[in-house]
Amino acid sequence: MRTLAIGDIHGCYDALIALTGAIALRPSDRIVSLGDYIDRGPDSRRVIDWLIDYSEANPGRLFALRGNHELMLEGARLGGKPFGCWLAAGGIETLRSYGLEMSPTELLQVPHDQILAAIPDRHWKFIERELLPFHEIDTHFFVHANAHPERELDAQSPFMLYWELFGEARPHRSGKVMVCGHSVQASGLPSHVGHSVCIDTGACRGRWLTCLEVETGVYWQANQAGETRSGRLDASSAAGSGSGIGDGEERG
């Protein structure tokens, strides 16, 4: 059985399909998706559909984490500033994937609940009820953003789990290897520092979507053009914490 971690998809459905084709998924595979399925890329709706369909067809084989962009979408249901912040962080592209071709000005003039009604209940259920804050196996644990090294996973703050940058990631008290996304690696390669690996490699920024097989260190990558490549974590991919460009920093 392989454990496959997939980094931030951000609406890049074509890259996701190319990636899963390159991996040659098996019925025994365990997939851990690290969050940020929506926003910025062109096909958030199809990405969510794929995740739901895969989960339904393979019960107990998909462990889908929540990312900060899913949090922002949930907050957008409150209206006002949270709705505007979500639009500015890529929500406009997400709404276009649901068929709403409106300018930012037009979107802000329509009641937010009417706008968000374009997202089907099936998707809201997945986003609000089925996403996980973290996942762990015997050797690794998985979070969207980061984890405080001295706190158990169920005692992490929301800021650490969803917003903190990879930065100077430190070994966790569990002794397990952390696998995360959120902090975009400018090199387009996973950042590997031994005790931690960041696999957000900028799919929605013209770079790569990454899947890591955690047991072997083998990774596959695909982009929106359908190009694929593969490699293995080693000293050359240990770009170090300084190579990561934070998701929040690029968003501004």
Side-chain angles (χ1 to χ4, degrees):
M1 179 177 65
R2 301 184 297 181
T3 304
L4 304 170
I6 297 179
D8 305 37
I9 303 170
H10 277 303
C12 293
Y13 178 79
D14 291 344
L16 175 63
I17 296 306
L19 183 66
T20 53
I23 296 165
L25 291 175
R26 308 167 187 169
S28 61
D29 287 336
R30 171 173 49 188
I31 296 178
V32 185
S33 52
L34 300 182
D36 280 9
Y37 312 115
I38 61 171
D39 298 347
R40 297 186 174 150
D43 290 311
S44 293
R45 178 172 191 158
R46 289 204 289 174
V47 169
I48 298 297
D49 273 332
W50 188 94
L51 292 165
I52 295 172
D53 290 345
Y54 185 87
S55 180
E56 291 178 349
N58 302 273
R61 293 295 179 183
L62 175 67
F63 302 88
L65 305 191
R66 178 179 292 104
N68 61 301
H69 281 261
E70 285 74 50
L71 277 182
M72 284 191 285
L73 173 56
E74 292 180 55
R77 299 190 91 171
L78 300 173
K81 185 176 180 180
F83 180 74
C85 289
W86 174 64
L87 291 180
I92 292 173
E93 290 82 359
T94 294
L95 290 173
R96 286 174 181 160
S97 77
Y98 288 96
L100 288 179
E101 295 287 346
M102 301 170 68
S103 70
T105 300
E106 290 172 327
L107 288 170
L108 290 171
Q109 291 174 344
V110 178
H112 69 277
D113 54 343
Q114 293 183 25
I115 295 294
L116 295 176
I119 300 175
D121 290 343
R122 181 177 188 239
H123 288 202
W124 282 118
K125 178 184 175 185
F126 177 76
I127 291 167
E128 296 186 323
R129 303 182 194 175
E130 299 181 20
L131 300 184
L132 306 171
F134 60 85
H135 181 66
E136 61 182 321
I137 59 176
D138 290 343
T139 55
H140 294 71
F141 70 88
F142 307 84
V143 293
H144 174 63
N146 209 329
H148 191 285
E150 299 301 327
R151 295 183 182 178
E152 299 294 341
L153 293 178
D154 59 5
Q156 297 288 324
S157 69
F159 180 82
M160 288 298 296
L161 289 176
Y162 303 119
W163 295 97
E164 181 62 275
L165 301 182
F166 190 53
E168 298 293 336
R170 291 179 288 163
H172 190 259
R173 62 183 298 174
S174 66
K176 297 179 180 183
V177 176
M178 179 178 76
V179 182
C180 67
H182 183 63
S183 298
V184 182
Q185 302 306 300
S187 66
L189 295 171
S191 183
H192 175 219
V193 295
H195 54 75
S196 304
V197 185
C198 180
I199 62 169
D200 183 354
T201 45
C204 66
R205 292 174 168 82
R207 300 174 197 155
W208 299 90
L209 178 63
T210 295
C211 174
L212 171 68
E213 181 184 357
V214 304
E215 291 86 0
T216 64
V218 171
Y219 63 86
W220 298 263
Q221 295 184 301
N223 61 22
Q224 279 288 84
E227 299 169 326
T228 61
R229 64 185 188 181
S230 61
R232 185 185 296 269
L233 297 180
D234 56 23
S236 66
S237 66
S241 55
S243 68
I245 300 175
D247 177 64
E249 291 176 339
E250 286 203 8
R251 184 174 62 248

